[in-house]
Amino acid sequence: MRNELICAGEKTYYYAGLYKIGVYKTDETNVCLIDAGIDEEIAIKLDRLIEEKGWRVSLIINTHYHADHCGGNYYFQKKYNCKIYASKMNAALISNYDICPAIVWGATPLTVLLDHYYYTKSTIAEDIEGKELPEGLSLINLPGHAISMIGVRTEDEVIFLGDALVGVDTLKKEKITYIYEIGDYLSSLDKVEKLSAKLFIPYHSEPVRDIRELVRINRENVMNNLKRIKAICKTPRHFDDIVREFFNDVDMELTLYKYNVKGGIIKTYLTYLHNTGQMETECMDNYLMWQTIG
Ligand SMILES: [Zn+2]
């Protein structure tokens, strides 16, 4: 991964490290970041590159509240007193980070799980709706990966996609990636497929000029996981049994951390199947059993 800023248009740059952070020039000296990296270490690396150019950060737009996107907020807000904008729900979460880990775990989170992917300091973020955006920026609603996630388009025809989709390498390694709501996620993929731009920048993979192939691969991954979970639940299964079978199927080894994150994603899939009438539940011998309908 390169520690450098790549120029993607007259005003648009991106950080070419592990996280593809957008850097958009709003005038001669000020920049707006699109997401902010996972932690202070990344923030400092990016800030050095920004300082070398003689720029300063006056605004951060967070695509969503996940810590790998807003973990750098604290450093930048402290140093530049910059504003932070996100969609209403995400602004509320970024400003009150203590509640965020509970979204996946479904209860007060286990302290041992609170690493920098999962927890960060709260920063003061505001609802982006009604705010005047820097000239040349517009927003694209892309819910699904996270509630009310947004993408950002720049006037150089570059689109920062947040986590609307992931790269091929990630899918090969992870098999099942984080989604908050499957129906929204699939609709957002359909939307992304129809967007036109000179460059598409997913946060976790290399930028591409044509996004359609990556959309197809991500959609296929979701469909395969839906099929896999429906097949597992052909006979009534309780949740831990489904997790076990899924992990066996895709050759992953369970850990507490994976149980939390991947287990949460499997629950998201089960919820989607239940909400769309493809799955039912029944209590048997004090187990909650999930069974595919039809
Ligand atoms: Zn992410």
Side-chain angles (χ1 to χ4, degrees):
M1 290 298 159
R2 292 168 298 169
N3 180 45
E4 59 180 315
L5 280 181
I6 307 284
C7 181
E10 205 181 313
K11 296 178 169 182
T12 312
Y13 293 72
Y14 68 92
Y15 179 64
L18 193 55
Y19 309 99
K20 306 295 181 290
I21 301 162
V23 178
Y24 181 73
K25 284 191 74 184
T26 56
D27 59 30
E28 277 313 300
T29 51
N30 289 284
V31 297
C32 166
L33 298 185
I34 299 146
D35 286 328
I38 193 167
D39 56 17
E40 188 168 284
E41 198 185 321
I42 294 279
I44 289 171
K45 280 185 184 167
L46 172 60
D47 191 31
R48 273 197 199 122
L49 299 171
I50 288 169
E51 274 184 330
E52 273 169 23
K53 299 256 191 201
W55 301 339
R56 64 185 305 282
V57 176
S58 53
L59 176 66
I60 297 171
I61 297 175
N62 286 133
T63 57
H64 60 296
Y65 75 90
H66 292 166
D68 52 332
H69 297 252
C70 70
N73 283 7
Y74 186 83
Y75 170 87
F76 288 112
Q77 195 164 57
K78 200 167 142 212
K79 176 164 176 187
Y80 295 104
N81 196 25
C82 59
K83 289 199 173 291
I84 298 169
Y85 294 166
S87 66
K88 187 179 179 182
M89 196 76 84
N90 284 279
L93 292 166
I94 291 162
S95 306
N96 299 278
Y97 217 88
D98 284 354
I99 194 70
C100 294
I103 294 172
V104 177
W105 183 241
T108 306
L110 295 167
T111 313
V112 291
L113 294 175
L114 299 180
D115 69 355
H116 68 170
Y117 274 97
Y118 204 47
Y119 184 74
T120 191
K121 285 178 190 157
S122 299
T123 43
I124 301 158
E126 301 169 53
D127 179 3
I128 200 164
E129 198 172 319
K131 295 282 189 303
E132 200 180 323
L133 293 181
E135 202 186 311
L137 289 189
S138 57
L139 306 178
I140 307 162
N141 290 324
L142 297 171
H145 169 76
I147 196 163
S148 318
M149 192 182 78
I150 51 174
V152 179
R153 174 197 281 278
T154 80
E155 68 177 20
D156 297 317
E157 288 187 60
V158 175
I159 298 179
F160 291 91
L161 290 166
D163 290 348
L165 39 67
V166 296
V168 178
D169 291 351
T170 308
L171 284 181
K172 269 191 191 139
K173 197 169 132 235
E174 300 291 333
K175 309 293 197 298
I176 185 166
T177 61
Y178 189 79
I179 298 177
Y180 175 74
E181 211 286 315
I182 306 285
D184 284 347
Y185 186 83
L186 291 171
S187 302
S188 289
L189 281 182
D190 293 345
K191 191 185 217 176
V192 168
E193 195 171 33
K194 293 188 192 93
L195 293 174
S196 63
K198 282 189 183 143
L199 195 67
F200 295 88
I201 308 187
Y203 192 66
H204 295 281
S205 68
E206 291 305 312
V208 291
R209 300 210 171 271
D210 187 341
I211 199 69
R212 289 170 296 183
E213 176 70 358
L214 208 49
V215 168
R216 191 188 62 73
I217 293 166
N218 275 263
R219 188 188 287 124
E220 198 176 271
N221 174 262
V222 174
M223 293 309 182
N224 283 342
N225 283 331
L226 283 168
K227 239 189 259 169
R228 199 185 301 279
I229 290 168
K230 282 174 84 169
I232 292 170
C233 297
K234 274 239 165 320
T235 54
R237 297 294 188 103
H238 65 78
F239 178 68
D240 281 1
D241 199 19
I242 299 164
V243 171
R244 179 177 183 275
E245 192 100 344
F246 190 94
F247 269 65
N248 284 344
D249 271 8
V250 299
D251 205 20
M252 280 195 303
E253 200 177 323
L254 193 68
T255 60
L256 175 61
Y257 193 87
K258 282 187 184 159
Y259 181 84
N260 171 39
V261 179
K262 305 282 185 198
I265 309 169
I266 290 171
K267 209 176 263 180
T268 288
Y269 275 83
L270 288 168
T271 301
Y272 172 75
L273 289 168
H274 197 283
N275 285 348
T276 53
Q278 301 176 71
M279 182 78 68
E280 60 191 356
T281 58
E282 196 187 342
C283 293
M284 288 164 67
D285 193 23
N286 272 354
Y287 281 115
L288 182 78
M289 308 300 274
W290 297 83
Q291 183 169 17
T292 304
I293 297 171

